[in-house]
Amino acid sequence: MTQQTQGMIRVVFFASVREALGTTGVEQDAAGITTVTDLIGLLRDRSETWHETLGAENLLVAVNQTMVDPSQKIVAGDEVAFFPPVTGG
Amino acid sequence: MQQKISIQVPAFDVGEECAWLAAESQEVGGIVTFLGVVRDVNEGDRVGSLYLEHYPGMTEKQIAGIIEEAATRWELIAATVIHRIGQLAPGEQIVFVGVATRHRGDAFDACEYIIDFLKTRATFWKKERTPDGERWLETRETDLKTVDDWKQR
């Protein structure tokens, strides 16, 4: 696991979300971010593809490895994961 | 209650896993197991191979949580969940759920509960690779209905 820079939120992506965005994850400055919704807003601004992918209706979110809904508050040092509905078993 | 959770690449030995469950206590009266395998056909198309991805750390936590839920509903002596990841061919093992209890009713119910909730909650994703291309599988409506039905059971 890479060391997280101070004041940053570690964002990770899985499965088709990772493929669409072309990255396993990014670090996002926590400044100005209170909730997951705020984070999604900032990430979606990056490009049309990010806008579409992170705007998907069935997108799931976890904060520090616990499922949450987008109203969840987040702080620097948190790990936020975005992924599609699961298909294990 | 003893539990064993493993997310792993290699295949597992069902016999060995049953032996582990049986050895946990002399109180064990019944062991029920479920073995999930890679189907050769999905939605009418031949499956070339399956690729299993997961969220390291979160997946194990979720499976532990599901086992804990089962343990509050039924008297479990031991439970095992093994899920493979990586590239799998049709016919290969994917997942093993085993439950050891005093009485068989608890074992049947708990085993079913664990696999039903693993399928809709655990952070795994399957990608099918066929000669015609690749596609990520989608959650099945029937699986969602199944966990919903548990509210009545």
Side-chain angles (χ1 to χ4, degrees), chain B residues 6-13 82-85 88 92-93:
Chain B
S6 176
I7 315 284
Q8 61 188 54
V9 168
F12 42 82
D13 185 308
I82 302 174
H83 201 299
R84 295 179 68 194
I85 50 170
L88 302 176
E92 282 202 73
Q93 309 167 326

Side-chain angles (χ1 to χ4, degrees), chain A residues 30-65:
Chain A
I33 297 175
T34 307
T35 64
V36 169
T37 302
D38 295 337
L39 172 63
I40 292 173
L42 280 175
L43 293 174
R44 290 183 77 188
D45 280 344
R46 290 188 178 212
S47 83
E48 188 52 51
T49 302
W50 284 69
H51 186 85
E52 199 184 310
T53 305
L54 296 179
E57 211 184 302
N58 61 8
L59 189 72
L60 299 179
V61 188
V63 172
N64 300 330
Q65 304 188 354

Side-chain angles (χ1 to χ4, degrees), chain B:
Chain B
M1 183 199 62
Q2 284 299 307
Q3 58 181 303
K4 185 176 173 187
I5 297 170
S6 176
I7 315 284
Q8 61 188 54
V9 168
F12 42 82
D13 185 308
V14 174
E16 273 178 26
E17 298 307 326
C18 287
W20 183 85
L21 288 162
E24 274 311 299
S25 159
Q26 294 190 333
E27 298 280 312
V28 173
I31 295 168
V32 171
T33 69
F34 170 78
L35 176 67
V37 297
V38 180
R39 217 186 275 110
D40 201 12
V41 175
N42 188 34
E43 288 171 15
D45 301 326
R46 301 300 302 271
V47 176
S49 68
L50 212 58
Y51 176 74
L52 259 301
E53 181 175 335
H54 79 302
Y55 185 168
M58 181 164 182
T59 314
E60 293 88 335
K61 268 169 75 169
Q62 289 174 308
I63 293 173
I66 294 167
I67 293 174
E68 203 178 298
E69 284 172 20
T72 61
R73 282 179 79 144
W74 300 282
E75 277 191 53
L76 307 188
I77 296 174
T80 296
V81 174
I82 302 174
H83 201 299
R84 295 179 68 194
I85 50 170
Q87 191 95 345
L88 302 176
E92 282 202 73
Q93 309 167 326
I94 304 173
V95 60
F96 173 84
V97 176
V99 179
T101 61
R102 272 183 196 76
H103 306 293
R104 69 186 186 285
D106 285 354
F108 276 111
D109 286 343
C111 186
E112 193 180 355
Y113 182 95
I114 292 168
I115 184 62
D116 284 350
F117 280 87
L118 183 154
K119 285 183 83 68
T120 55
R121 216 191 272 172
T123 41
F124 291 102
W125 300 274
K126 285 175 181 159
K127 189 181 199 186
E128 275 179 359
R129 291 172 170 160
T130 71
D132 298 324
E134 303 184 335
R135 67 174 169 196
W136 290 97
L137 297 196
E138 294 188 349
T139 312
R140 290 173 185 270
E141 282 302 316
T142 50
D143 288 337
L144 294 172
K145 178 164 192 312
T146 300
V147 296
D148 211 47
D149 287 348
W150 273 105
K151 293 176 189 157
Q152 262 73 265
R153 287 175 69 167

Side-chain angles (χ1 to χ4, degrees), chain A residues 1-74:
Chain A
M1 292 288 276
T2 53
Q3 272 285 57
Q4 204 164 329
T5 325
Q6 228 174 1
M8 304 295 269
I9 292 166
R10 178 168 157 73
V11 187
V12 291
F13 307 115
F14 292 94
S16 54
V17 175
R18 185 199 67 246
E19 279 185 356
L21 300 180
T23 177
T24 55
V26 297
E27 293 230 316
Q28 177 71 41
D29 195 318
I33 297 175
T34 307
T35 64
V36 169
T37 302
D38 295 337
L39 172 63
I40 292 173
L42 280 175
L43 293 174
R44 290 183 77 188
D45 280 344
R46 290 188 178 212
S47 83
E48 188 52 51
T49 302
W50 284 69
H51 186 85
E52 199 184 310
T53 305
L54 296 179
E57 211 184 302
N58 61 8
L59 189 72
L60 299 179
V61 188
V63 172
N64 300 330
Q65 304 188 354
T66 300
M67 294 296 298
V68 299
D69 61 55
S71 62
Q72 178 71 32
K73 288 194 160 71
I74 49 178

